[in-house]
Amino acid sequence: MIRAQVFQNAACGWRCWYCFVPFDMLNGNESKGTWLTAERLVSLYAAEADRPDVIDLSGGSPDLTPEWVVWMMDALEAAGLAETTYLWSDDNLSTDYVFTKLSDAQRERMVGYLNYGRVCCFKGFDAASFAFNTTARPEDYDAQFERFGRYLDLGLDLYGYVTLTGPDVAATTRGVPTLLDRLQALDPNLPLRVVPLSIGNFSPTRERDDRGGQGRFEAAVPVQEAAIAIWNTELERRYPADLRARAIVDVPLRPRP
Ligand code: SF4
């Protein structure tokens, strides 16, 4: 178990049916949040009597505000907490703002900062399951891989989640191995840094019943179970036991130029 201080931005461009954040907290609705500077967040964290060693910048979708990560790095350093705090940020791969909104110096800051890791969430095992999960356009499925590849090339310490739900259990037979092929095309060991998330019947999902939440959960359960079974079988087939047994942080990725 790891204890973490979680800060969330109250915005996301997607609407995953299983999101554990109520949708009215994903709209950038000011009545659901407070405007705070990175310095203020760090000062609140520093004031905790029994503060955890990890800060998680979550959401919503923190990649909508890519400067947040850099500003937190600056604030942690200014507070003398950069060496004792691990900074972790989530990313749903819905934007390329790290490359289009940050400066070269800010990207270099992210890469050079010692205690930073980023986890990116892949949604689904093919374009149809991606659209089923997020209600976004199916063609955005491919963009996830391109964006993750750019982060790898940048040199960030990267990890992944994947949600293996979809509308069609038969599609898992081809979809999951193809997903693993695509991850391995980015880096041969990348699947071992990606964790399939098991979608539970969370209360926000149940409360979305009238918008299809509960119905989607019931449809998705057999798909998810089949997909995770294929995922595990494929990992056994593709990797030796000693590599699979490593802690996720010790799974080596190819050095980047
Ligand atoms: S991308 Fe994440 S925050 Fe956005 S709706 Fe999906 S689960 Fe929720």
Side-chain angles (χ1 to χ4, degrees):
M1 183 173 68
I2 296 175
R3 293 170 61 243
Q5 169 72 58
V6 179
F7 295 117
Q8 293 177 273
N9 74 342
C12 182
W14 289 346
R15 292 294 178 271
C16 302
W17 63 270
Y18 49 74
C19 185
F20 58 80
V21 181
F23 283 172
D24 65 351
M25 297 177 75
L26 295 177
N27 293 340
N29 182 342
E30 288 176 280
S31 73
K32 302 288 183 183
T34 307
W35 289 102
L36 295 168
T37 63
E39 290 75 17
R40 179 67 180 138
L41 293 176
V42 169
S43 73
L44 288 168
Y45 164 73
E48 290 284 341
D50 181 25
R51 67 169 182 263
D53 297 329
V54 177
I55 291 179
D56 176 15
L57 306 184
S58 187
S61 174
D63 50 307
L64 288 173
T65 48
E67 64 279 12
W68 187 20
V69 173
V70 184
W71 290 347
M72 287 295 287
M73 291 172 174
D74 292 345
L76 283 165
E77 206 164 80
L81 294 169
E83 290 183 12
T84 54
T85 306
Y86 187 78
L87 184 64
W88 178 249
S89 72
D90 301 330
D91 184 332
N92 67 4
L93 297 171
S94 67
T95 76
D96 56 4
Y97 290 170
V98 163
F99 299 98
T100 57
K101 305 296 180 192
L102 296 186
S103 65
D104 288 342
Q106 286 176 312
R107 282 188 290 276
E108 281 164 23
R109 174 81 163 130
M110 284 171 64
V111 174
Y113 190 86
L114 184 63
N115 285 322
Y116 173 61
R118 191 174 187 102
V119 63
C120 301
C121 193
F122 294 91
K123 309 286 187 185
F125 50 80
D126 59 18
S129 79
F130 170 85
F132 172 90
N133 286 335
T134 60
T135 64
R137 299 174 309 167
E139 48 270 38
D140 284 344
Y141 180 70
D142 290 339
Q144 301 177 109
F145 299 92
E146 183 199 327
R147 288 169 185 154
F148 196 94
R150 292 184 81 182
Y151 288 146
L152 280 173
D153 291 341
L154 192 59
L156 296 176
D157 189 22
L158 289 177
Y159 304 86
Y161 303 132
V162 62
T163 48
L164 295 170
T165 54
D168 178 11
V169 72
T172 58
T173 311
R174 184 162 179 272
V176 177
T178 304
L179 165 64
L180 284 158
D181 291 344
R182 294 190 73 170
L183 295 174
Q184 285 197 282
L186 293 171
D187 190 288
N189 289 340
L190 181 56
L192 295 175
R193 281 194 172 215
V194 176
V195 178
L197 296 181
S198 179
I199 302 301
N201 201 8
F202 309 124
S203 51
T205 305
R206 286 195 298 274
E207 287 157 15
R208 281 178 208 133
D209 204 5
D210 57 336
R211 283 164 287 168
Q214 183 70 14
R216 284 187 181 230
F217 178 76
E218 282 156 4
V221 167
V223 179
Q224 168 171 261
E225 288 173 356
I228 291 177
I230 296 170
W231 175 278
N232 289 334
T233 303
E234 285 289 320
L235 289 192
E236 283 176 24
R237 192 175 70 75
R238 294 173 192 234
Y239 297 103
D242 61 328
L243 193 53
R244 280 185 278 118
R246 289 197 192 185
I248 197 166
V249 296
D250 296 326
V251 172
L253 299 181
R254 269 193 316 234
R256 300 279 155 171

